[in-house]
Amino acid sequence: MTDAIRVLLVDDQELIRVGFRMVLEAEGDIVVVGEAADGRAAIMQSRSLAPDLVLMDIRMPELDGIAATETIVREHPQTKVLVLTTFDLDEYAFGAIRAGASGFLLKDAQRQEMISAVRAVHRGDAALSPRVTRMLLEHVTPHLGPSATPAPDAAESAALASLTERERDVFLAIGRGLTNAEIAQTLYVGESTVKTHVGRVLTKLAARDRIHAVILAHRLGLVGD
C-alpha cells in the first residue's frame, strides 16, 4: 500500500481520534500512521513519521493547532495540514490558514465529506468542499481589512503576467470558490482540461494549494466579495 495517504490524527479528545481512525482506515487508500493529543506531540510525531497529511484540531492544551501547524508546515513543506474547525471560531480557523493549513474540515462533517476532504487536500486539487469554500470567502474580506488590496509586488506581478488568458480565467474562478466542474461549465471546457489549468496556475503562482490561490486572489483585489 505504498500509495496510501499517510495521516496523523491530532485532537485532545481520544474518542474523536478513535472515530476518525475508524472512518479513515476503512478506506483502502488511507492509513493512520499516528496520533497526538496536543500541538507539541503533533510536531514531534510529524518529525518522526513524516505524514502526508495532518488532521489538526485547533484548540488543544500545551500548544494549540495554529502554532503546531506553523511549525509543521515550515519544517515539512510536503506535509499538508487539514484543520478541524467550526465556524464559531473564525479567528482560530483563519489563524491556522495564515499559518499554512491547506483546508478546513468542519467537525460535524459527514463520513464521505471527511474522506473527500482528506483526498482533496492531499492532491492539492479541490482543497475545500464548495460549501466550506464559500463560507471561507464570506469571511476572507473582513479579516483581510481595508488595506488588503495592495498592488502586487514584483514577484507576484511576474507570476500574474505569466498566466495565459485561459489560466487567468481559471485563477479568477478559483478565487470565486468554483469547483472544477463549475469552472468547466462556465468556460465550456472539459474537467480534465480545467484540472490541467489549475495545476499550472498553482505552479506559476507558487501557491501551496487551492485555498492559498483563493486567498491570493482576494488579497490582490482580483475578485469581488
Side-chain angles (χ1 to χ4, degrees), residues 2 17 19 39 46 54 59 61 69 75 83 88 97 99 113 137 142 151 160 163 170 194 214 218:
T2 57
R17 298 198 308 270
S46 295
V54 179
R59 302 186 70 180
T69 294
E75 293 185 354
V83 173
D88 294 326
I97 291 298
E113 189 176 3
L137 296 184
L160 290 172
L163 298 178
V170 170
V194 171
V214 170
H218 278 257

Side-chain angles (χ1 to χ4, degrees), residues 3-183:
D3 294 329
I5 303 170
R6 304 173 70 256
V7 176
L8 171 64
L9 298 178
V10 184
D11 196 294
D12 61 338
Q13 298 184 49
E14 183 178 3
L15 285 178
I16 289 180
R17 298 198 308 270
V18 169
F20 285 173
R21 178 184 282 271
M22 291 177 63
V23 169
L24 295 175
E25 292 202 325
E27 302 299 311
D29 61 337
I30 301 173
V31 59
V32 176
V33 296
E35 298 182 16
D38 61 69
R40 295 190 191 282
I43 292 170
M44 297 301 295
Q45 290 277 55
S46 295
R47 288 170 179 165
S48 63
L49 299 173
D52 298 315
L53 183 143
V54 179
L55 196 55
M56 178 76 76
D57 191 17
I58 292 182
R59 302 186 70 180
M60 296 180 294
E62 299 296 329
L63 189 72
D64 66 30
I66 296 175
T69 294
E70 185 174 13
T71 299
I72 290 170
V73 170
R74 182 179 67 250
E75 293 185 354
H76 310 282
Q78 75 284 358
T79 297
K80 302 290 181 66
V81 177
L82 178 57
V83 173
L84 292 167
T85 185
T86 68
F87 275 83
D88 294 326
L89 298 170
D90 290 341
E91 69 274 21
Y92 296 103
F94 285 101
I97 291 298
R98 287 190 293 270
S102 295
F104 291 112
L105 179 63
L106 301 183
K107 277 201 167 184
D108 62 354
Q110 298 299 308
R111 174 192 180 101
Q112 193 54 49
E113 189 176 3
M114 176 192 299
I115 294 166
S116 297
V118 167
R119 289 172 177 156
V121 169
H122 175 253
R123 67 176 178 262
D125 180 18
L128 303 172
S129 71
R131 176 168 68 98
V132 178
T133 299
R134 292 190 175 100
M135 292 173 74
L136 170 66
L137 296 184
E138 289 174 4
H139 291 268
V140 164
T141 301
H143 278 264
L144 290 178
S147 62
T149 55
D153 60 26
E156 290 169 339
S157 295
L160 290 172
S162 72
L163 298 178
T164 65
E165 182 177 353
R166 182 45 57 92
E167 288 168 354
R168 186 178 177 86
D169 291 339
V170 170
F171 175 41
L172 297 181
I174 292 173
R176 291 165 51 207
L178 272 63
T179 65
N180 283 0
E182 290 169 337
I183 296 173

